[in-house]
């Protein structure tokens, strides 16, 4: 008899909703059979059995919310093992997924010991390297104070503890001693009970809230603004769409923006980077995340290697990803691991806005509406269609000069888009 555990379907997943069972007690399952649907904070995924056996007991009924990762959800006869998410490269081994939560996403992560728990049951945040070194040295991470971001334990902390030396934990001590912000009820803030309807937070709302607060509190944001003229882009777009009409493909302004941003990232690779405690990660490809509004939140599916793709391919992929995002049918690898984000509110008539950085990315681009504005050309007043673009940067990675060089590379690509078609 084997317990089937709640799998970790993404590096950041801590709990999920057991949306639906596809089996019942007494059913016999084989490897590859879909046994359940799990709703994470971003998507609904099918879970497959990886071995055969008889379902002896359903421990968690369908529709249950807040099911913690690694919780037994069913029992199977025989020597079966826990199920894996559909089409995943390997079975979902929760300890590894747990161990990667606080790490910067990496394409190939070396195996690391499972993340330990503190005395109160909470996770101890430590890098995989720190956990590995601690395990080799026989150190208890509960006794090690972290000096990394958010008090995370990094290599130097383990080395210092191993030598018996004092750790430079001033920042961690200050964070630990700070009193957590106490949430006041609406009644305490003057809003009477019974004067509003309360909509419970679902997993996505909680995840978005947590990530946005973490980003604002821990990433030193700063914005850069630039105006770009898009009259030529609109003319080229009309011609391109006429050519692609027989194929049923329609290229949007946002598709041009994604392509231009990807090319600009290759021209200014310092902007295609992420901050980590161990150093600055310089990404090899421009994997551009595009913000998609869905019911109850926001998700950022990714156009991988956008610098290598034509406008027609980007348009096709972005339409497909946006459709499946709204249906919550995306796979984790389709919305995790981008290197740069684009958020466009131009279709709502928003002229200009500043976005919150999507960690661990170094930048996010906010695109406003194109509108006719007066401009000066050769000393003469004229009218042009102008679009305001804001680049929000993580100052630890992209300083003002680097951000400016990126926008200098981006602007001519948008204003003369023929260069993108070469």
């Amino acid at each position: 008899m084997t317990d089937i555990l709640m799998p970790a379907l993404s590096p950041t997943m801590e709990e999920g909703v057991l949306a639906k069972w596809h089996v019942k007690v007494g059913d016999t399952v084989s490897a590859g059979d879909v046994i359940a649907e799990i709703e994470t904070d971003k998507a609904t995924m099918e879970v497959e059995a990886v071995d055969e056996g008889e379902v002896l007991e359903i421990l968690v009924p369908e529709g249950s919310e807040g099911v913690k990762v690694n919780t037994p959800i069913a029992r199977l006869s025989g020597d079966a093992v826990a199920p894996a998410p559909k089409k995943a490269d390997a079975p979902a081994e929760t300890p590894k997924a747990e161990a990667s939560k606080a790490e910067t996403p990496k394409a190939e992560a070396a195996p690391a010991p499972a993340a330990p728990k503190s005395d109160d049951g909470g996770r101890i945040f430590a890098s995989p390297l720190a956990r590995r070194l601690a395990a080799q040295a026989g150190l208890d991470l509960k006794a090690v104070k972290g000096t990394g971001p958010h008090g995370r334990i990094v290599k130097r902390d383990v080395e210092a503890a191993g030598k018996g030396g004092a750790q430079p934990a001033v920042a961690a001590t200050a964070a630990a001693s700070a009193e957590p912000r106490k949430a006041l009820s609406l009644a305490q803030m003057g809003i009477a009970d019974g004067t509003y309807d309360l909509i419970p937070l679902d997993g996505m709302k909680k995840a978005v809230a947590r990530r946005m607060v973490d980003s604002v509190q821990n990433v030193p944001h700063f914005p850069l603004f630039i105006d770009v003229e898009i009259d030529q882009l609109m003319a080229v777009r009309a011609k391109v769409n006429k050519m692609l009409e027989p194929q049923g493909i329609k290229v949007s302004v946002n598709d041009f923006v994604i392509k231009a941003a990807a090319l600009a990232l290759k021209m200014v690779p310092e902007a295609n980077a992420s901050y980590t405690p161990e150093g600055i990660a310089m990404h090899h490809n421009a994997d551009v995340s595009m913000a998609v509004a869905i019911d109850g939140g926001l998700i950022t599916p990714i156009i991988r290697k956008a610098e290598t793709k034509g406008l027609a391919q980007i348009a096709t992929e972005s339409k497909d990803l946006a459709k499946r995002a709204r249906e919550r049918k995306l796979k984790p690898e389709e919305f995790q691991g981008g290197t740069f984000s684009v958020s466009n509110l131009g279709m709502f008539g928003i002229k200009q806005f500043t976005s919150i950085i999507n960690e661990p990315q170094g930048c996010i681009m906010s695109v406003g509406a194109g509108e006719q504005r007066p401009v000066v050309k050769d000393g003469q007043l004229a009218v042009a269609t102008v679009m305001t673009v804001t680049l929000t940067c993580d100052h630890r990675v992209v300083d003002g000069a680097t951000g400016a060089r990126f926008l200098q590379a981006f602007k001519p690509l948008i204003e003369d888009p023929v260069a993108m078609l070469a």
Side-chain angles (χ1 to χ4, degrees), residues 191-208:
I191 300 177
D193 293 339
T195 62
Y196 57 86
D197 295 323
L198 189 65
I199 301 174
L201 296 175
D202 60 13
M204 175 171 286
K205 282 287 189 183
K206 290 178 182 178
V208 170

Side-chain angles (χ1 to χ4, degrees), residues 240-250 312-313 316 319:
V240 168
N241 282 337
K242 188 173 182 179
M243 292 171 54
L244 295 175
E245 188 174 2
Q247 303 175 46
I249 299 173
K250 188 173 183 180
Q313 186 176 358
T316 301
K319 182 178 180 180

Side-chain angles (χ1 to χ4, degrees), residues 225-391:
F225 307 93
I226 195 168
D227 290 336
V228 293
E229 296 183 17
I230 60 171
D231 291 292
Q232 289 190 52
L233 183 149
M234 299 304 289
V236 169
R237 175 176 176 252
K239 292 180 181 179
V240 168
N241 282 337
K242 188 173 182 179
M243 292 171 54
L244 295 175
E245 188 174 2
Q247 303 175 46
I249 299 173
K250 188 173 183 180
V251 178
S252 69
V253 172
N254 207 53
D255 297 326
F256 278 91
V257 170
I258 290 172
K259 177 66 174 180
L263 293 175
L265 288 171
K266 298 304 290 183
M267 296 165 67
V268 187
E270 297 87 352
N272 193 31
S274 297
Y275 174 84
T276 79
E278 291 77 28
I280 304 301
M282 304 292 291
H283 301 295
H284 297 165
N285 300 110
D287 296 331
V288 181
S289 304
M290 57 176 194
V292 176
I294 63 177
D295 287 343
L298 181 75
I299 195 168
T300 51
I302 304 164
I303 305 293
R304 299 283 182 184
K305 298 183 179 179
E307 76 278 10
T308 67
K309 297 175 179 177
L311 287 168
Q313 186 176 358
I314 290 174
T316 301
E317 287 189 20
S318 62
K319 182 178 180 180
D320 172 64
L321 288 168
K323 179 177 182 294
R324 289 191 291 115
R326 295 185 181 100
E327 296 170 350
R328 296 201 178 194
K329 297 295 185 183
L330 291 177
K331 305 170 188 174
E333 60 268 25
E334 291 177 317
F335 59 83
Q336 293 174 351
T339 67
F340 183 94
S341 286
V342 172
S343 180
N344 192 334
L345 292 178
M347 66 288 293
F348 297 105
I350 302 301
K351 180 177 180 179
Q352 176 181 316
F353 66 104
T354 303
S355 299
I356 298 172
I357 287 174
N358 184 19
E359 290 188 275
Q361 298 171 11
C363 299
I364 184 169
M365 176 175 283
S366 312
V367 182
E371 59 181 6
Q372 289 195 325
R373 303 181 198 171
V375 297
V376 177
K377 296 184 177 181
D378 300 323
Q380 300 294 318
L381 190 63
V383 176
T385 306
V386 179
M387 182 173 73
T388 298
V389 172
T390 305
L391 183 72

Side-chain angles (χ1 to χ4, degrees), residues 29-33 35 47-52 76 79-85 90-92:
V29 298
S30 301
D33 289 350
I35 61 173
V47 177
E48 296 179 350
V50 297
D51 213 329
E52 62 181 16
L76 199 66
D79 297 325
V81 295

